[in-house]
């Protein structure tokens, strides 16, 4: 009887874990992070998460549905950008679509690609 109870508890405890895309600031300066990803047929960009040194934020909640995500982050001492363009603004935002950014009142900026390898969760560290 005891092994059955232990097995049931293990199943109940193990099933509550969620996977996420987390961005962590491993620098000594405050950083601001944003993310881009595919949602069905649409590209979506979202931001900004304010990250103090050694702090993390969850940018995508739950099991990851895409292999590739795109991150842009900024701080007073450096930026993390890349070759993939998404729309963004300086205020908190969620923008659907990655085309005609300026004509829609947004900025266009580079995001770097993150290959999660189809993992259900991912932690992206921002480092100096």
């Amino acid at each position: 009887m005891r092994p059955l109870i232990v097995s049931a508890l293990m199943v109940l405890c193990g099933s509550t874990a969620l996977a996420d895309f987390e961005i962590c600031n491993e620098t000594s300066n405050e950083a601001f992070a944003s993310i881009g990803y595919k949602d069905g047929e649409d590209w979506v960009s979202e931001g900004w998460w304010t990250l103090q040194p050694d702090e993390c934020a969850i940018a995508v909640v739950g099991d990851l549905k895409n292999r590739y995500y795109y991150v842009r982050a900024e701080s007073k001492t450096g930026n993390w950008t890349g070759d993939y363009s998404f729309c963004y603004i300086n205020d908190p935002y969620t923008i659907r679509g990655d085309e005609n950014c300026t004509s829609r009142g947004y900025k266009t900026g580079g995001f770097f690609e993150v290959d999660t390898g189809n993992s259900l969760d991912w932690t992206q560290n921002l480092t100096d």
Side-chain angles (χ1 to χ4, degrees), residues 105-121:
Y106 306 125
K107 296 179 180 184
T108 300
F111 287 58
F112 68 88
E113 183 178 71
V114 177
D115 183 350
T116 68
N118 288 321
S119 294
L120 295 179
D121 66 331

Side-chain angles (χ1 to χ4, degrees), residues 34-110:
S34 56
I35 193 165
Y37 57 91
K38 190 82 164 175
D39 182 23
E41 296 298 314
D42 295 328
W43 286 102
V44 175
S45 53
E46 297 183 287
W48 294 92
W49 288 270
T50 302
L51 302 169
Q52 298 304 322
D54 299 317
E55 185 176 70
C56 299
I58 297 173
V60 177
V61 176
D63 291 349
L64 302 182
K65 296 180 174 87
N66 302 312
R67 177 174 178 170
Y68 298 101
Y69 289 82
Y70 303 86
V71 173
R72 177 184 181 90
E74 302 176 358
S75 76
K76 67 180 178 182
T77 58
N79 295 323
W80 297 265
T81 61
D83 296 332
Y84 296 88
S85 292
F86 284 90
C87 304
Y88 74 97
I89 55 175
N90 292 337
D91 296 320
Y93 70 92
T94 298
I95 300 170
R96 295 193 83 75
D98 64 338
E99 296 179 347
N100 305 315
C101 298
T102 54
S103 67
R104 296 190 295 151
Y106 306 125
K107 296 179 180 184
T108 300

